[in-house]
Amino acid sequence: MAFSADELRVLRRALAIALHPTPLSDEDVQDCLRLAGSVDEAVGEAGRLRAFLLADLARYRNALPGSATGYLELLQDALAAGYDPRPDDLAALRALRGGPLAAALLERCQGLAERSVRARLAGRSAGLAAPGPRSRLLALPGGRAAAREPDRPKSPAAPGHPQKPGDRPMPKPSEVFPPRRRPTPPPSEERAAG
């Protein structure tokens, strides 16, 4: 991600304000909000690009062996971007390992997969996951929001009182994923002997 000279100026000013809180002018608040919007847009675009790359990689993998050259190139690009190879990728590379590039990629992917499994077993998150949602910049200390209303602690809704739409509780797994129904066997047709 690259910042323009104006964005770097705003970022430097925002960091200085974070270290030494002072009241902000409306212009400073708007500059920070624009910068936050630009960063959000760049993160969203990176996520869309990553999703496109992974979908393209899956398409090429499903079309193997005819798409071997394109698949190997896409896999190299994905690995360079931090992709964590999946079992499907390892199986595809094993099938293609007759070529030198596929053999080298198989060795590299096996090492990455092994490291990923070790990291997961150690309790850390492994691989390059899609960037998580970043909280929106709603107010800056000393900005316009500070002048409007004081901070109030959020209290849970009392029993019998409806909650606000934004305070909706997390649904239970049984509400999101209803229990599976067992398939009923088809009725057996018995022929009368006669």
Side-chain angles (χ1 to χ4, degrees), residues 168-181:
R168 219 172 90 199
M170 186 80 113
K172 297 177 189 173
S174 61
E175 295 171 344
V176 177
F177 304 106
R180 275 191 199 172
R181 303 205 188 280

Side-chain angles (χ1 to χ4, degrees), residues 22-102:
T22 58
L24 296 175
S25 68
D26 286 345
E27 182 183 341
D28 288 342
V29 171
Q30 291 303 319
D31 286 346
C32 288
L33 289 174
R34 272 193 298 277
L35 178 62
S38 296
V39 169
D40 285 340
E41 186 179 324
V43 167
E45 185 62 31
R48 284 189 293 277
L49 182 61
R50 185 175 193 282
F52 175 78
L53 177 65
L54 294 180
D56 215 17
L57 183 65
R59 271 193 302 276
Y60 274 79
R61 184 176 52 237
N62 292 336
L64 286 173
S67 63
T69 305
Y71 172 71
L72 295 174
E73 289 174 8
L74 281 174
L75 184 59
Q76 283 180 313
D77 292 343
L79 292 173
Y83 174 67
D84 198 12
R86 299 190 176 129
D88 292 343
D89 295 310
L90 295 173
L93 288 171
R94 284 186 192 105
L96 298 172
R97 69 176 160 212
L101 179 58

Side-chain angles (χ1 to χ4, degrees), residues 22-24 29 138-151:
T22 58
L24 296 175
V29 171
L138 300 177
L140 296 172
R144 285 188 283 179
R148 286 192 201 138
E149 51 183 272
D151 291 338

